Amino acid sequence: MPKRDLSKEDIKRIVEEENVRFLRLMFTDILGTIKNVEVPVSQMEKVLDDKMMFDGSSIEGFVRIEESDMYLYPDLSTWMIFPWENDHGKVGRLICDIYGPDGKPFAGDPRGNLKRVLKGMDEFGFTSFNLGPEPEFFLFKLDENGDPTLDLNDKGGYFDFAPTDLGENCRRDIVLELESLGFEVEASHHEVAPGQHEIDFKYADVIEACDNIQTFKLVVKTIARKHGLHATFMPKPLYGINGSGMHCNMSLFNEDGNVFYDEDGPMQLSKTAYQFLAGLLKHARAYTAVCNPIVNSYKRLVPGFEAPVYVAWSGHNRSPLIRVPESRGLSTRLELRSVDPAANPYLTMAVLLEAGLDGIRNELTPPTAVDRNIYVMTEEERKAAEIYDLPSTIHNAIKELREDQTMVDALGDHIYTNFNEAKRMEWAAFRQTVSEWEREQYLELY
């Protein structure tokens, strides 16, 4: 969505003209969940003057009760009016950064943390880090009580269309809603698995792109419910079919343009692009904990379902972790294919940028590209080619993260400590759960 330079007066005028009755102040917690503080428009002056407070102790991983006062600083460029909530007047939205009572950015705010990491580009003269996301999701039917079922809404496949793809009407309405909100949708289609869909929108500066991902999730879920469907960004909701990814297309720019492009370089990639790529590969096992942050994420990262499992790169085939799409010039980019839509986009992009900058800072060289199907290679062949596995569980991924100080620093002490503790508790709860699979396998046998 194009950024708009809006002043406080502009927003006041729009609120008056459009009969906006409520202001929804949005931010994201450490686990990637969208949070809202909704206030009547009578509080607008307070909101626009950065004086709106909330209780930070009620938010996962923020602060303890004795230090709970936090302030919401709205980013005026994120102003938007939601078109679907008109019963009691319209609802305006502002995405906020979190500040403490001392007037300093709160270290536990994922959006603020990404802004901190972005300052690391200054030493290289980079002006922007761009992200083009490709989020996938499933549509399930709702039951008579409005609760999600496991019944898929269609039996469609890749690029199918009606009548097989019964989600087409819902997906079309999502696209129309996104476009009315200013999104530039580049592609919308049925994915490989039944009930699975993908909507891609134009790349943007990374903060704006992460804001767009969070807004996108909200729109998808809202419109799906209007169609009697439940949209889920759970990475692997069903056994035996492909899971949902969120491929991240990344590029760095300076005042001269895309720094990943070099007309005379190997594959027309610059030295900087190869160094950034090398950094992404070096830190891959550690940042997997952030890019694939839940127990269920690792049910997707298995061979045979198109998701990457191995740390390698290629300019051609789609089995490695990182692919270099064919486009060059301004569109030159690196595509990381492991990320799933359960990831907190702000934390994900903070660790990915820091990994890439580490590659540039230390002038790393990536290993040789792997242009054959890694899934059919033997373990010995993979070892000879220096191809390593991604972690197989969130438990193993968190251990890798703990050992990688560069990635810990990208999160900052506050976020890392709380993220690590939340994931440790999640794994402990999962380990204690007895699944239906275990009962089917062992109850009679033993």
Side-chain angles (χ1 to χ4, degrees):
M1 293 180 297
K3 285 275 186 181
R4 294 176 294 169
D5 293 323
L6 292 173
S7 66
K8 295 179 185 179
E9 285 64 38
D10 290 331
I11 290 177
K12 290 175 187 175
R13 176 178 49 76
I14 295 168
V15 164
E16 184 73 29
E17 290 174 354
E18 298 289 336
N19 189 32
V20 174
R21 301 293 299 277
F22 294 91
L23 302 176
R24 182 178 289 183
L25 309 177
M26 283 173 51
F27 59 97
T28 299
D29 72 9
I30 287 173
L31 299 183
T33 307
I34 302 166
K35 299 293 182 180
N36 296 291
V37 175
E38 190 161 290
V39 297
V41 77
S42 60
Q43 299 292 305
M44 183 165 58
E45 291 286 349
K46 200 172 176 182
V47 168
L48 297 178
D49 288 340
D50 301 333
K51 294 200 169 78
M52 183 56 63
M53 295 175 66
F54 74 100
D55 178 6
S57 66
S58 63
I59 306 298
E60 179 77 45
F62 268 29
V63 288
R64 298 183 297 272
I65 289 174
E66 62 269 23
E67 50 190 30
S68 61
D69 290 343
M70 315 242 68
Y71 286 83
L72 293 163
Y73 282 33
D75 181 341
L76 302 189
S77 70
T78 65
W79 170 257
M80 169 189 293
I81 297 174
F82 287 130
W84 59 74
E85 298 184 39
N86 292 327
D87 293 348
H88 305 289
K90 295 179 184 175
V91 177
R93 188 287 304 271
L94 286 162
I95 293 176
C96 302
D97 294 315
I98 312 298
Y99 279 69
D102 58 1
K104 294 179 180 176
F106 171 50
D109 174 21
R111 192 174 190 265
N113 179 69
L114 177 53
K115 288 184 174 181
R116 175 185 67 84
V117 174
L118 280 166
K119 290 175 182 170
M121 300 193 306
D122 294 348
E123 65 179 288
F124 305 105
F126 302 140
T127 53
S128 65
F129 178 44
N130 290 336
L131 165 64
E134 300 176 7
E136 297 171 343
F137 57 93
F138 278 87
L139 292 174
F140 290 100
K141 294 176 182 176
L142 295 174
D143 65 16
E144 62 275 7
N145 299 318
D147 296 322
T149 69
L150 290 179
D151 294 333
L152 294 166
N153 73 300
D154 66 57
K155 294 183 173 64
Y158 203 41
F159 287 110
D160 270 357
F161 56 91
T164 309
D165 177 7
L166 300 179
E168 186 177 1
N169 289 342
C170 178
R171 194 174 66 238
R172 186 188 63 230
D173 284 356
I174 290 169
V175 170
L176 291 172
E177 203 74 79
L178 290 170
E179 289 180 336
S180 77
L181 294 172
F183 279 74
E184 188 173 333
V185 175
E186 294 191 325
S188 160
H189 58 83
H190 200 291
E191 260 298 335
V192 175
Q196 188 183 37
H197 304 268
E198 179 180 315
I199 297 174
D200 306 334
F201 36 94
K202 186 176 173 63
Y203 76 85
D205 178 78
V206 68
I207 294 285
E208 184 183 351
C210 291
D211 291 346
N212 289 348
I213 290 168
Q214 297 299 74
T215 304
F216 170 80
K217 288 181 176 179
L218 198 61
V219 170
V220 168
K221 284 180 173 289
T222 302
I223 301 303
R225 188 155 280 271
K226 289 190 171 187
H227 283 261
L229 300 169
H230 173 71
T232 181
F233 293 94
M234 180 180 176
K236 186 85 167 185
L238 294 173
Y239 167 76
I241 61 175
N242 286 22
S244 291
M246 187 172 70
H247 299 175
C248 290
N249 293 272
M250 295 170 277
S251 55
L252 275 173
F253 278 67
N254 63 16
E255 290 178 354
D256 297 324
N258 190 328
V259 299
F260 284 176
Y261 176 63
D262 180 355
E263 190 176 0
D264 301 319
M267 290 177 59
Q268 293 190 310
L269 295 178
S270 68
K271 185 178 175 184
T272 301
Y274 282 107
Q275 291 171 344
F276 195 96
L277 169 62
L280 288 176
L281 293 169
K282 172 187 173 184
H283 296 285
R285 286 178 59 82
Y287 62 60
T288 296
V290 179
C291 298
N292 308 93
I294 62 176
V295 164
N296 180 257
S297 296
Y298 297 83
K299 305 292 175 76
R300 168 179 168 259
L301 298 179
V302 294
F305 294 96
E306 294 198 4
V309 182
Y310 306 110
V311 181
W313 75 280
S314 173
H316 304 290
N317 88 66
R318 292 169 182 264
S319 60
L321 178 70
I322 299 171
R323 189 173 75 94
V324 185
E326 298 282 344
S327 303
R328 290 297 178 264
L330 285 178
S331 299
T332 309
R333 62 195 188 274
L334 302 176
E335 179 188 34
L336 181 69
R337 303 179 62 256
S338 61
V339 184
D340 69 49
N344 181 326
Y346 303 102
L347 297 187
T348 294
M349 299 319 295
V351 293
L352 296 182
L353 175 58
E354 193 56 54
L357 292 179
D358 184 57
I360 296 170
R361 203 173 283 121
N362 293 295
E363 300 184 350
L364 301 181
T365 303
T368 306
V370 179
D371 292 329
R372 55 178 292 203
N373 188 346
I374 303 174
Y375 297 131
V376 300
M377 295 169 70
T378 65
E379 188 174 345
E380 290 72 25
E381 287 176 318
R382 292 199 302 273
K383 276 185 180 174
E386 297 183 26
I387 299 171
Y388 304 102
D389 294 12
L390 288 174
S392 57
T393 64
I394 186 64
H395 173 67
N396 291 339
I398 284 290
K399 287 200 290 188
E400 294 283 347
L401 177 61
R402 191 182 306 140
E403 298 301 315
D404 191 325
Q405 193 59 45
T406 302
M407 294 295 90
V408 170
D409 291 344
L411 296 174
D413 288 341
H414 182 105
I415 290 177
Y416 168 71
T417 300
N418 285 278
F419 181 83
N420 184 55
E421 179 62 15
K423 295 299 123 183
R424 192 186 64 76
M425 290 170 62
E426 183 179 341
W427 178 250
F430 174 68
R431 282 183 63 204
Q432 294 168 33
T433 302
V434 179
S435 68
E436 190 59 38
W437 182 89
E438 290 167 278
R439 282 189 283 269
E440 288 176 2
Q441 293 289 322
Y442 308 132
L443 196 63
E444 291 187 26
L445 189 61
Y446 296 100

